[in-house]
Amino acid sequence: MLSSIQEAKTKHAERLLELPGVVSVGIGLDPGGRPAILVGLDGPRPETCASLPDSLEGYPLCTQVTGPVEALASGD
Amino acid sequence: MPDSIQCARDVLAGARAELQDRAHVVATGVGLTPGAGGDSSVPCIVCSVAEKLSRAELASRDRVPSMLDGVRVEVVQTGPIRALAARTDRQRPAPGGVSIGHHDISAGTLGCLVRKDGVLFILSNNHVLAASNAAELGDPILQPGPLDGGRLPEDRIASLTDFVPISFLGAPAGGSLVRGGAQLLNRCLGRLGSDLRLRLVREPPSTSLVDAALARPLDDSLVSDEILEIGSVIDIASGELGMEIQKSGRTTGLTRGRIEQVDVTVDVQYGGGRVARFTDQLMAGRMSQGGDSGSAMLDAHARLVGLLFAGSESTTVINRVEHVFTGLGLEI
């Protein structure tokens, strides 16, 4: 049985976050407007990108360079 | 037309002092009023008033004439006119969207006001009001925040009342003792020549849902229900993919965006090498910078969707309002 995209994301999020440079895993839309698992990176990470599949449980997986995510108090 | 504008200016120059003397008049100038045909405009004198009252409600000396020397006079209600205070200034009452902070931090944003058991509280982030878990309940909260010149005791606006602790990755949650014990035991086993080694089963890292805290104003009159450039929060709403959102923050003011990701798991840096993993977050594009932490995130209808707390060069990360309210024991 196909899992929902939420289930697919939950199942793989921890593992994805252990890859070098991965800062976030969420659910959004791919460039074609289809529901996708979106992986945020702290910078260009060719090796991490090469190790990622194009899809997970049948859902597209897309990477995007977001930069490091920081708490936003001033000067922090 | 230029002649009639000059005429209106001349008439106003002669009548200005007398017009401004009337109760409720806050400004006078020359403007245009639609002509009889609707498409042409006629120069007129514009009297801005704090509150527009009917002629019957005004003393005769405070009534504004409808014509002055053949020039029409329009009365427009603008409300009182104030100097625009910066978001980093001290403001009383302090609205949502201005600088605030615990006395040990730099500065963040006063999100909005919430009520718990009928009592009014300021809502913002833990790392803004509670110094990322380091504060004690009752600690003074300054408006503006210390980076913006807030000082004790004169700028104290509230006291820290409650916060949801942030779980930092690698922080001992009873784990370090276990790890230490295992290492000691393994060293003993090694000395005994045994090949046996204890291996700790790896626990999933503890995660957080919100970076949120409450502070009780020293007096309700020190804070305002309004959020700068947005207005009052009218309800709460659950954030959804594609939803249009807006926030009013200390550093970047009013910005708008869209929820681009939901169900986000994200590792957030808190400085000093501390990282916390948050689950079930909302993510938008770039609509914030340092100092915007604590901003209330609303949808296009001024419904509260969440609490802004983190971001990167291209993203903004938001706690869901449902988790914020549950974590702080607020009624939805």
Side-chain angles (χ1 to χ4, degrees), chain B residues 107-180:
Chain B
T109 296
L110 192 168
C112 63
L113 302 184
V114 292
R115 283 179 193 278
K116 186 174 181 177
D117 301 325
V119 181
L120 203 61
F121 292 95
I122 291 167
L123 174 65
S124 186
N125 292 142
N126 172 334
H127 80 270
V128 172
L129 297 180
S132 307
N133 300 348
E136 306 270 347
L137 297 186
D139 275 0
I141 303 300
L142 307 180
Q143 194 292 313
L147 184 76
D148 298 321
R151 297 286 175 267
L152 270 174
E154 59 269 30
D155 296 315
R156 181 175 187 169
I157 191 168
S159 306
L160 177 67
T161 315
D162 194 9
F163 64 91
V164 181
I166 300 165
S167 299
F168 290 103
L169 295 181
S176 68
L177 272 179
V178 179
R179 261 198 305 279

Side-chain angles (χ1 to χ4, degrees), chain B residues 12-331:
Chain B
L12 177 59
R16 194 190 296 273
E18 196 224 330
L19 284 173
Q20 297 255 171
D21 233 15
R22 292 167 204 240
H24 310 292
V25 174
V26 293
T28 50
V30 168
L32 296 174
T33 185
D39 50 355
S40 61
S41 296
V42 180
C44 66
I45 291 170
V46 183
C47 253
S48 302
V49 295
E51 189 184 5
K52 197 168 182 175
L53 300 172
S54 69
R55 298 186 82 79
E57 293 173 278
L58 288 165
S60 57
R61 67 174 178 283
D62 289 328
R63 289 177 194 158
V64 174
S66 55
M67 294 286 278
L68 272 175
D69 294 339
V71 178
R72 198 163 154 187
V73 181
E74 294 282 334
V75 177
V76 179
Q77 178 170 318
T78 57
I81 296 174
R82 303 188 186 92
L84 292 179
R87 289 166 182 272
T88 50
D89 285 349
R90 177 191 160 98
Q91 297 199 30
R92 300 291 184 274
V98 299
S99 169
I100 199 167
H102 181 272
H103 67 89
D104 281 342
I105 73 136
S106 49
T109 296
L110 192 168
C112 63
L113 302 184
V114 292
R115 283 179 193 278
K116 186 174 181 177
D117 301 325
V119 181
L120 203 61
F121 292 95
I122 291 167
L123 174 65
S124 186
N125 292 142
N126 172 334
H127 80 270
V128 172
L129 297 180
S132 307
N133 300 348
E136 306 270 347
L137 297 186
D139 275 0
I141 303 300
L142 307 180
Q143 194 292 313
L147 184 76
D148 298 321
R151 297 286 175 267
L152 270 174
E154 59 269 30
D155 296 315
R156 181 175 187 169
I157 191 168
S159 306
L160 177 67
T161 315
D162 194 9
F163 64 91
V164 181
I166 300 165
S167 299
F168 290 103
L169 295 181
S176 68
L177 272 179
V178 179
R179 261 198 305 279
Q183 282 165 3
L184 189 69
L185 210 59
N186 282 340
R187 275 206 294 276
C188 294
L189 287 166
R191 284 205 193 109
L192 291 171
S194 168
D195 288 336
L196 257 178
R197 290 290 184 277
L198 282 178
R199 210 177 106 244
L200 283 177
V201 176
R202 197 158 161 202
E203 288 177 54
S206 59
T207 58
S208 305
L209 281 170
V210 297
D211 178 340
L214 293 178
R216 171 88 182 107
L218 301 181
D219 190 284
D220 287 358
S221 66
L222 300 178
V223 288
S224 158
D225 252 336
E226 297 279 303
I227 297 175
L228 286 179
E229 297 183 73
I230 292 180
S232 301
V233 177
I234 56 156
D235 200 355
I236 69 163
S238 190
E240 290 167 15
L241 203 57
M243 181 185 265
E244 284 182 37
I245 50 175
Q246 56 179 337
K247 77 98 186 60
S248 179
R250 167 201 174 270
T251 309
T252 60
L254 176 69
T255 57
R256 295 194 169 94
R258 195 176 284 277
I259 295 177
E260 295 177 359
Q261 287 185 49
V262 296
D263 198 10
V264 178
T265 304
V266 56
D267 288 343
V268 178
Q269 300 186 17
Y270 277 81
R274 288 185 306 172
V275 177
R277 179 166 296 175
F278 287 79
T279 57
D280 201 15
Q281 303 299 301
L282 304 171
M283 191 181 271
R286 179 169 192 174
M287 52 188 294
S288 56
Q289 285 176 36
D292 286 332
S293 260
S295 301
M297 191 61 80
L298 297 102
D299 71 2
H301 311 290
R303 296 182 301 179
L304 186 63
V305 167
L307 198 56
L308 186 162
F309 80 108
S312 70
E313 61 202 38
S314 63
T315 65
T316 299
V317 190
I318 307 147
N319 301 146
R320 281 186 174 277
V321 69
E322 302 93 315
H323 297 318
V324 171
F325 274 46
T326 303
L328 291 170
L330 301 166
E331 309 99 40

